[in-house]
Amino acid sequence: MKDISDIPALMGGMGKAARVAAAKLAFATAERKHAALIAAADAVWARRAEIVAANAKDLDYGRDKGLSPAMMDRLMLDEDRIRGIVDGLRAVAEQRDPVGEVIAEWDRPTGLHIQRVRTPLGVVGVIYESRPNVTADAGALCLKSGNAVILRGGSESFHSSRAIHDCLVEGLRAAALPETAIQLVPTRDRAAVAEMLRMVEHIDVIVPRGGKGLVGLVQKEARVPVFAHLEGICHIYVDKDADPEKARKVVLNAKTRRTGICGSAECLLVHKDIAAGLGQQIVDDLKAAGVEVRAEGLNGNKPAQADDFGREFLDMIIAAKVVEDIDGAIAHIRHYGSSHTEAILTENDAAAGRFFQRLDSAILMRNASTQFADGGEFGMGAEIGIATGKMHARGPVGAEQLTSFKYLVTGDGTVRA
């Protein structure tokens, strides 16, 4: 490998290697990819003590940087979370292989038979922060969908990501697939990110996974197409016809299960008819759990300020507001939302239908915690991120969303008149 100080040469070499690997992965058998993922899962579990030791170095680095408790939680790996990584790799392995799937087919009066079939995108670049499990998720999904991938993990998760990446390479080697199919940028130097964003000849799409600063930078600077995901400003609306027991349980989970993930609820909206009763009860539940509630029209810890709405706290903080009715909730979400995930708590079918029809976020939920905004929970095995744009991929991006399509046209000596 080129000297690590020569970032353009380093990244150019990785890009060329990825392009070669992608050409081979495009026709790799489903069995070979399955074998690589199972071998990688076995390696992660066998080397879990090594991964935890590497993660300890990252946690020390994070503490020295003054990361918030929520960010430290995103960074931390223990045996249970490593088991989750293993389960995710195995789940992706068992998913249906999307490559070569016939999406549609038809015959033309000219005698042509036409098929639209799934094909890999080619080379995917993933730029992410903090969460080392993304190394496994992104590597697995790209492999499953026949794509080579260049991973650039956050400086905080540098050692953990390397340890997990070593396991993925071990899986590739065991299945006799190109080891350069999954590459990890071996430097914390931010110049590597800038290079990736310009590598139009080597990378087909960039997936940013992190905070607003990272994603905004990628969208602003990238010359390579980007799967958009700016922020997870998730709203949860408690309708006047909500079931009290369900509502209290769901809101508490949506905010407190893990505050540092993009599916964490950041704003609570309450119908005015139940504000003094169920609405206040939910706010009190949140406060009792240690959440700082910044409220308008409810008795929170402190009054909400204008900039508390439309804000991704990623912490034990939530904005709360009383709205006139469901249309008031919809209007608020349209104004302040990030098109990620919104939930309505109601037993009224008409209200749920109105909420689903009149909002266009990537994920809309009824009577369920926004913490379910996750590819693994959607049955995809894992996700490479949540896309909030409307071009190509949307919602949890799994293996299927990492494919494009091509047309296969068959004739029989057919000529055009």
Side-chain angles (χ1 to χ4, degrees):
M1 185 173 282
K2 298 283 185 180
D3 189 272
I4 204 108
S5 63
D6 189 350
I7 298 297
L10 168 70
M11 298 309 299
M14 293 180 71
K16 289 175 183 175
R19 187 61 77 190
V20 172
K24 296 178 180 178
L25 285 183
F27 58 85
T29 64
E31 292 75 18
R32 190 72 63 83
K33 291 184 283 186
H34 179 275
L37 291 169
I38 294 299
D42 291 343
V44 168
W45 189 245
R47 298 169 67 172
R48 60 191 181 278
E50 183 182 325
I51 294 170
V52 169
N55 185 246
K57 296 179 183 178
D58 290 332
L59 291 171
D60 288 341
Y61 183 85
R63 276 187 284 269
D64 289 344
K65 283 187 67 175
L67 293 186
S68 71
M71 292 298 103
M72 290 293 287
D73 177 66
R74 288 166 73 105
L75 180 59
M76 188 272 289
L77 292 176
D78 56 16
E79 190 160 297
D80 284 345
R81 290 189 180 179
I82 291 173
R83 169 58 73 186
I85 291 172
V86 171
D87 291 345
L89 287 166
R90 292 183 177 279
V92 173
E94 301 305 328
Q95 292 286 309
R96 172 184 53 80
D97 191 320
V99 180
E101 177 190 356
V102 178
I103 303 169
E105 60 182 319
W106 61 95
D107 294 305
R108 296 291 297 147
T110 55
L112 296 179
H113 181 69
I114 302 174
Q115 294 179 312
R116 185 188 301 131
V117 303
R118 293 196 184 280
T119 188
L121 296 173
V123 178
V124 179
V126 184
I127 301 170
Y128 53 103
E129 296 175 327
S130 299
R131 294 178 68 181
N133 64 293
V134 176
T135 306
D137 290 351
L141 289 168
C142 287
L143 177 62
K144 186 72 175 185
S145 53
N147 296 292
V149 62
I150 298 175
L151 303 165
R152 203 287 184 175
S155 59
E156 301 90 348
S157 61
F158 187 73
H159 295 97
S160 310
S161 294
R162 285 179 66 180
I164 294 168
H165 175 253
D166 286 346
C167 298
L168 298 177
V169 172
E170 190 173 322
L172 291 168
R173 192 182 302 124
L177 289 172
E179 293 181 25
T180 50
I182 304 173
Q183 298 181 79
L184 180 70
V185 176
T187 177
R188 285 188 169 113
D189 196 325
R190 289 180 178 270
V193 173
E195 283 296 317
M196 285 181 71
L197 300 182
R198 294 191 292 261
M199 289 169 60
V200 292
E201 71 275 28
H202 299 311
I203 297 178
D204 295 287
V205 66
I206 292 282
V207 181
R209 186 161 176 182
K212 185 176 182 179
L214 169 68
V215 180
L217 171 70
V218 169
Q219 291 180 316
K220 179 182 177 182
E221 302 292 337
R223 285 200 246 155
V224 179
V226 176
F227 281 168
H229 166 196
L230 191 57
E231 290 180 282
I233 304 171
C234 302
H235 294 80
I236 190 159
Y237 165 60
V238 185
D239 186 52
K240 64 183 178 63
D241 294 317
D243 178 281
E245 185 178 347
K246 292 179 189 176
R248 293 178 67 184
K249 178 174 64 174
V250 169
V251 173
L252 198 61
N253 180 267
K255 179 69 254 184
T256 66
R257 176 187 164 270
R258 289 189 70 184
T259 60
I261 64 173
C262 63
S264 174
E266 304 290 18
C267 183
L268 170 68
L269 301 173
V270 178
H271 193 290
K272 67 175 184 180
D273 289 0
I274 58 164
L278 176 59
Q280 187 58 51
Q281 201 169 27
I282 290 171
V283 168
D284 291 342
D285 289 343
L286 290 165
K287 289 161 64 177
V291 178
E292 179 183 299
V293 183
R294 301 179 181 179
E296 180 180 309
L298 294 156
N299 182 23
N301 298 90
K302 61 171 64 174
Q305 304 299 311
D307 63 356
D308 288 326
F309 299 108
R311 181 172 175 184
E312 187 178 33
F313 296 104
L314 297 174
D315 207 342
M316 288 286 277
I317 304 169
I318 193 169
K321 181 180 179 180
V322 175
V323 293
E324 282 291 310
D325 51 24
I326 188 172
D327 289 335
I330 290 168
H332 180 98
I333 293 168
R334 282 177 176 166
H335 182 76
Y336 291 104
S338 61
S339 299
H340 190 292
T341 300
E342 331 296 349
I344 180 172
L345 306 182
T346 188
E347 299 304 303
N348 187 316
D349 292 344
R354 190 177 187 87
F355 191 85
F356 282 3
Q357 183 184 58
R358 301 196 175 199
L359 286 172
D360 194 34
S361 297
I363 304 170
L364 297 170
M365 298 181 170
R366 176 186 182 184
N367 293 338
S369 169
T370 57
Q371 297 265 341
F372 282 108
D374 175 87
E377 295 296 334
F378 276 39
M380 297 176 178
E383 67 177 35
I384 205 169
I386 303 280
T388 55
K390 295 186 181 181
M391 299 299 289
H392 191 71
R394 200 162 194 230
V397 179
E400 185 177 296
Q401 288 74 31
L402 291 173
T403 62
S404 182
F405 55 82
K406 59 187 176 184
Y407 292 95
L408 305 183
V409 183
T410 304
D412 186 18
T414 311
V415 297
R416 185 172 178 177

